[in-house]
Amino acid sequence: MERQQNEIQKVELVGIFAASTAHKIRNPLTGMKDLVTLLKEKYTQEQDQFYYFVIGQEIECINEIVSEFMILGKPTAIIKKV
Amino acid sequence: MERQQNEIQKVELVGIFAASTAHKIRNPLTGMKDLVTLLKEKYTQEQDQFYYFVIGQEIECINEIVSEFMILGKPTAIIKKV
């Protein structure tokens, strides 16, 4: 029972934490994205372009994971059958 | 009670999810870090170096957040007073 209480408190904490974490991760991600775009426009060699493309994809990948993560932080809706 | 059950199931899910998410985020992060190191060594202009330094810091920042996050996914230890 004590353990259950702990787990419930943890869920609430995770909810708050998930939202703030998502923002914390998205802020540096956005900063990175802007700098990479800037450098990608500056260095147009084929190999560099490929590197920047891959970096851009990794950024997008993390962005998607963060979006998925936020779903679990949201409270559960109870649908009552009438 | 139904809600409590849901929340407990969510905690378990969050635990599994947190661990896999951390890995999912760390994989692209590592890839990015390697490419940024490579480009940083290639382009040594002062401004570019600054950009790569900032990108490196952002990567480190996300890495720290992911590490913090994993703590919440771990099960709670109950310490019994004797």
Side-chain angles (χ1 to χ4, degrees):
Chain A
M1 195 58 197
E2 192 188 339
R3 196 184 185 101
Q4 275 194 3
Q5 285 278 322
N6 273 338
E7 297 300 336
I8 290 165
Q9 284 171 354
K10 272 174 75 175
V11 162
E12 290 172 0
L13 200 64
V14 165
I16 299 162
F17 193 77
S20 70
T21 302
H23 288 294
K24 274 192 205 165
I25 292 180
R26 279 214 173 124
N27 285 347
L29 263 193
T30 309
M32 249 193 268
K33 205 174 177 176
D34 291 346
L35 286 177
V36 169
T37 306
L38 207 141
L39 288 160
K40 195 180 175 185
E41 284 169 9
K42 193 172 176 184
Y43 297 106
T44 52
Q45 274 182 35
E46 199 179 339
Q47 198 186 40
D48 297 341
Q49 283 292 308
F50 176 68
Y51 290 162
Y52 290 123
F53 171 74
V54 174
I55 294 174
Q57 275 197 322
E58 308 286 40
I59 290 173
E60 210 43 57
C61 173
I62 296 175
N63 210 20
E64 276 175 31
I65 294 165
V66 169
S67 304
E68 280 174 24
F69 195 85
M70 286 195 78
I71 297 166
L72 271 187
K74 290 181 179 167
T76 312
I78 304 289
I79 299 160
K80 283 188 180 169
K81 286 174 189 167
V82 186
Chain B
M1 196 57 196
E2 193 188 338
R3 196 184 187 101
Q4 273 194 6
Q5 285 279 323
N6 273 338
E7 297 299 335
I8 290 166
Q9 283 172 355
K10 271 173 74 175
V11 161
E12 289 171 1
L13 200 64
V14 165
I16 300 162
F17 193 77
S20 71
T21 303
H23 288 293
K24 275 192 207 167
I25 292 181
R26 276 207 177 130
N27 285 347
L29 262 193
T30 309
M32 249 194 269
K33 205 173 178 177
D34 291 345
L35 286 178
V36 169
T37 305
L38 206 144
L39 288 161
K40 194 181 177 184
E41 282 168 9
K42 192 171 175 182
Y43 298 105
T44 52
Q45 275 182 35
E46 198 179 337
Q47 198 187 38
D48 296 341
Q49 283 292 308
F50 176 68
Y51 289 161
Y52 290 122
F53 170 74
V54 173
I55 293 174
Q57 276 198 322
E58 308 285 42
I59 290 173
E60 210 43 59
C61 173
I62 295 176
N63 210 19
E64 277 175 31
I65 293 166
V66 169
S67 304
E68 280 174 25
F69 196 86
M70 285 195 78
I71 298 165
L72 272 187
K74 289 180 179 167
T76 312
I78 303 290
I79 299 161
K80 282 189 179 169
K81 285 174 189 167
V82 186

